[in-house]
Amino acid sequence: MTATKSTLTTPLFTTTDAAELYQVPNWSGGWFRVSDKGEMEVTPAPGLHAPLRAIVDEIVERGESLPVILRFPQVITGRVKHLNESFQNAITEYGYGNHYQGVFPIKVNQRRVVVESVAAAGYDYAHGLEAGSKAELALCLAQRMHPDALLCCNGFKDDGFIKLALWGRTLGKNVVITIEKFSELDRILKQARALGVKPAIGVRFKLHARGSGQWEESGGDQAKFGLNAYELLRVVERLKEEDMLDSLVMLHTHIGSQITDIRRVKVAVREATQTYAGMIAAGAKLKYLNVGGGLGVDYDGSKTTFYASMNYTVREYAADIVYTIQEVCKAREVPEPVIISESGRALTAHHAVLIMPVVDVTGPTRDLEDLAPASEDSHQIVKDMEEVLEKITLRNYRESYNDAVGDKQTLHNLFDLGYVTLMDRARGEALFNAILRRIAKLIQNEKYVPDELEDLQKVLADKFICNFSLFQSLPDNWAIQALFPIVPLDRLNEQPTRQATIVDITCDSDGKIDKFIDLRDVKSTLPLHEPGDRPYYLGTFLMGAYQDVLGSAHNLFGKVSEAHVTVKPGGKFHIDLFVRGQKARRMIESMGYEEPMLRDAIEDQADIAIKGGILTGEQENELLDDYGEELLGYTYLEYEEG
Ligand SMILES: *Cc1c(COP(=O)(O)O)cnc(C)c1O
C-alpha cells in the first residue's frame, strides 16, 4: 500500500486492488479473473466465465461435503490448443520444414478426465501420450488416439513392459520404446524377434546441459536416465549389424521439470540438435527429435527465474525451440526433424482448483479488554509490560520490542517457579501480543525495518484452520516448498483485515502453509478477510499437475471429492460429474483391515459393555449405526452448517 493511500480516511478497496493484491492477472494465464462483483471466476474461453463460489454453493446445496476439487476440462482443452498453436505459429513464421507433435506424460496426472480431455483436445493435432511404467502403458494403450500420434515409452523396462509396447504397434498405435540404459537394446531386439513385431526405438541422451530450478539434477552427466555419447554410437552400430537401423526413429532428451530460465532450454536444445545431427552423420535415419518436458508454470506470476516462476511464455518457448533446431539443422545440413515435446505440467496445472473451507481462526489473543487489567496484586513484571505498551513511540519501538521480548521470557521463568499466577501469565502474554501489534501498526509504512522485526507479521499472524490435508492435496508444498496461489473465492471488493497462515486438519505440525506467492521472493502471511456468518472458502489454484497422484493418506485423510464442471454461455455452468471422495472404510481397508472384522470387534466390546451394565441394548444399536455411518463417511470434517 502506498503512503498516500493509507493517509486517506477510508481508502476504498476495489476489485482491481484485490486482483493486484492476490496477483491474479500475473499467474492466471487468463484462465481465472476477479469479477466486478468481487468473485473469483474461471474463464476457460473468450466469452465464457463462471463464479467459483456459485459452483461450490451448488455442490453444498446438493448435500455434498467439502473440501472439493473443481476440475475444468475446458481449461485443459485450451492449454492443449495453446501449446500446439504456439508451435504451429512458430513453424509457419520461420518456415520450418517439418511439424510439431506433443506427447502428454501421464505421470503428471493420470486421472481419467485429464487423460481423456488431453487426448480429445489433442486428437486433431496428433498429440500423443507418454508412459513411464507398465501400468501407465496399459492405460495409454486403451486410449483412442490419432494413428500418427506417438505413444512414447520411457522409464526402466522389463520384458513385460517391452512386450506390451510391441503389441501396441500391432494395434495400430505409433509406439516408440525409448532406451534409457544400454542393456535395454538387447532386451527389445530379443522380444521383437520372439513376437515378430518390428520395433520403433528411441534413445534417451544424457545432455551435459542442465535445467534450472528445482529439477536441475535431472540433467547433466550424472543424470539417472540416458546414454552417453559413446553408448549412443554403439546403439547405431548395433542396429546396423542387425540391419535394423530404420527402427531407430527418435532422439530423446529431458533436462528436468519446471525449467525457470529460457536460456537453459535453448542451450539444451542446441546440444540435442547437434547430437541428432551427429547421429544422422553416423548413418541413423531419425525422424523425431524429442526435447522432453520442462515447460514451466508461472506459479507466482513474477516472470522471473525464481523456482516458482519462469522467465518466458509458451509462445517464446515454442519459438526458441523451433528456431534453435532449424539453425543447427541448416548449419549441419541435416533434415529438419518432427519436433516432439513432452509437456505435462504446463497442460494440466491450470485446470484444477482445490476449495478449502475455513473452519476456524486462532491467533494471538486479540483483545486485551477481554482480560481484566493488571490489578494491585499483579506481579511487577506484568505492570512493567503494561508500561512498555503505554510508552511505545516511533522513536523507541526497537527498545520497546526488546524489553517486551525480555519481559516475556522473565514472565515464563517466574511462572515455572510458581511466582506468577496463571491469570498474570495470561495478562502478560496478551500484553506482549498487544505490544507487537502496536509496533507492527507503527512501522507498517516505514521503509527501513530492523532485521529482528521482519518476522513480526508472522508472529502476529492468525492461523486459518482449513478443512483439507496438505499431504493429500498439496504434497509439493510440504515436500519441495512448491508455491500455489491462494485466493478467497469472494469478498474481493472488501479490504482483507487479517494476516494469515493456513493450517490443515492433520495432526502433523508440518501440515501448514506459511509461504505465499509474492512478486519478490515469498511472503510469510496471506491477507484474508475476517470470516463472517457465511462460510468463507479459499481456492488453491494451479494444483492440477502432480499433486493429485503424489498425495498421501497421512492421518487416513483420503482422496478429495471432485466436481467436473463445464462453463456455459451467460455466466452459467454445469456440473457434469461429481465424484465423492474416499470413504473412511476405504482408507482403513487400505491398511490391511477388513470391514466385517472391525464391525465384529465393536459388537463384541458392546456386548461385554451390556453385560457390565454400561450400555443398553438400544444404545448398542445406535452405537453400531453411528459407527457404520462413519465408516461410509467422508474422511474430512463434516459440519451440519455446511
Ligand atoms: C516428468 C517427465 C516429463 C514431464 O515434465 P513436465 O515438466 O511436467 O512437462 C516429461 N518427460 C519425462 C521423461 C519426464 O520424466
Side-chain angles (χ1 to χ4, degrees), residues 30-47:
W31 306 103
F32 299 96
R33 70 174 184 199
V34 178
S35 76
D36 295 342
K37 287 195 188 131
E39 297 182 314
M40 280 303 285
E41 283 192 333
V42 60
T43 48

Side-chain angles (χ1 to χ4, degrees), residues 261-543:
D261 188 352
I262 189 68
R263 280 173 306 176
R264 303 292 187 110
V265 174
K266 286 193 254 188
V267 168
V269 169
R270 173 170 298 280
E271 185 188 348
T273 315
Q274 289 291 358
T275 310
Y276 160 82
M279 289 177 73
I280 298 279
K285 294 175 181 57
L286 299 169
K287 180 171 176 197
Y288 305 105
L289 178 55
N290 184 339
V291 299
L295 174 55
V297 167
D298 197 355
Y299 292 96
D300 72 5
S302 67
K303 302 184 167 54
T304 62
T305 60
F306 189 59
Y307 74 88
S309 187
M310 58 200 268
N311 68 355
Y312 58 96
T313 64
V314 175
R315 281 182 215 289
E316 283 159 9
Y317 176 81
D320 282 341
I321 288 174
V322 172
Y323 180 84
T324 307
I325 294 178
Q326 184 177 49
E327 196 186 24
V328 175
C329 287
K330 272 199 181 127
R332 296 289 301 268
E333 297 180 345
V334 290
E336 289 165 343
V338 178
I339 301 172
I340 313 290
S341 87
E342 297 175 333
S343 309
R345 181 187 298 277
L347 292 189
T348 67
H350 300 73
H351 90 280
V353 186
L354 171 70
I355 308 299
M356 318 184 292
V358 174
V359 293
D360 210 344
V361 179
T362 68
T365 319
R366 293 237 124 227
D367 260 325
L368 254 190
E369 290 86 72
D370 280 359
L371 290 169
S375 60
E376 261 316 297
D377 44 329
S378 274
H379 195 282
Q380 187 57 38
I381 189 73
V382 179
K383 294 177 183 163
D384 289 351
M385 291 176 87
E386 223 168 33
E387 204 179 314
V388 173
L389 176 65
E390 276 153 23
K391 291 193 174 151
I392 298 170
T393 64
L394 248 184
R395 226 172 304 142
N396 73 359
Y397 70 85
R398 275 181 87 162
E399 193 188 330
S400 307
Y401 175 78
N402 290 327
D403 286 349
V405 171
D407 285 349
K408 188 172 149 210
Q409 183 71 51
T410 309
L411 178 82
H412 286 157
N413 290 344
L414 290 169
F415 177 80
D416 292 348
L417 295 170
Y419 295 123
V420 158
T421 64
L422 191 56
M423 188 61 195
D424 271 350
R425 175 177 169 164
R427 286 192 186 110
E429 288 175 350
L431 282 164
F432 178 78
N433 290 329
I435 292 166
L436 262 49
R437 264 202 303 281
R438 194 161 297 176
I439 294 174
K441 202 160 178 196
L442 263 181
I443 63 173
Q444 67 185 0
N445 294 323
E446 292 293 290
K447 280 210 183 67
Y448 169 75
V449 175
D451 280 355
E452 73 251 37
L453 294 180
E454 281 217 315
D455 275 347
L456 216 54
Q457 284 298 4
K458 199 170 169 181
V459 177
L460 287 174
D462 291 311
K463 289 185 172 59
F464 275 55
I465 303 171
C466 290
N467 191 4
F468 83 113
S469 157
L470 187 79
F471 306 92
Q472 173 62 248
S473 295
L474 306 170
D476 276 351
N477 179 271
W478 169 67
I480 54 171
Q481 286 73 53
L483 302 177
F484 300 96
I486 301 175
V487 188
L489 295 195
D490 58 358
R491 298 175 65 183
L492 294 169
N493 44 12
E494 237 180 86
Q495 171 93 54
T497 52
R498 300 261 187 132
Q499 290 293 330
T501 60
I502 289 169
V503 298
D504 74 1
I505 57 166
T506 67
C507 301
D508 194 314
S509 48
D510 276 353
K512 63 172 194 295
I513 304 176
D514 57 7
K515 299 226 169 21
F516 302 94
I517 62 162
D518 194 21
L519 279 183
R520 285 186 309 123
D521 211 355
V522 296
K523 285 196 294 208
S524 55
T525 59
L526 182 71
L528 290 177
H529 304 89
E530 173 101 34
D533 292 339
R534 220 167 151 244
Y536 188 58
Y537 301 136
L538 304 181
T540 300
F541 292 81
L542 307 185
M543 47 77 66

Side-chain angles (χ1 to χ4, degrees), residues 103-108 130 132 154-155 180 204 215 218 225 252-259 290-296 317 341-348 545-546:
V103 293
F104 173 62
I106 70 163
K107 76 161 191 279
V108 176
E130 184 262 341
N154 298 340
E180 304 271 9
R204 176 153 172 183
W215 282 272
S218 307
F225 293 110
H252 176 227
T253 61
H254 173 68
I255 57 169
S257 201
Q258 184 66 14
I259 296 167
N290 184 339
V291 299
L295 174 55
Y317 176 81
S341 87
E342 297 175 333
S343 309
R345 181 187 298 277
L347 292 189
T348 67
Y546 296 103

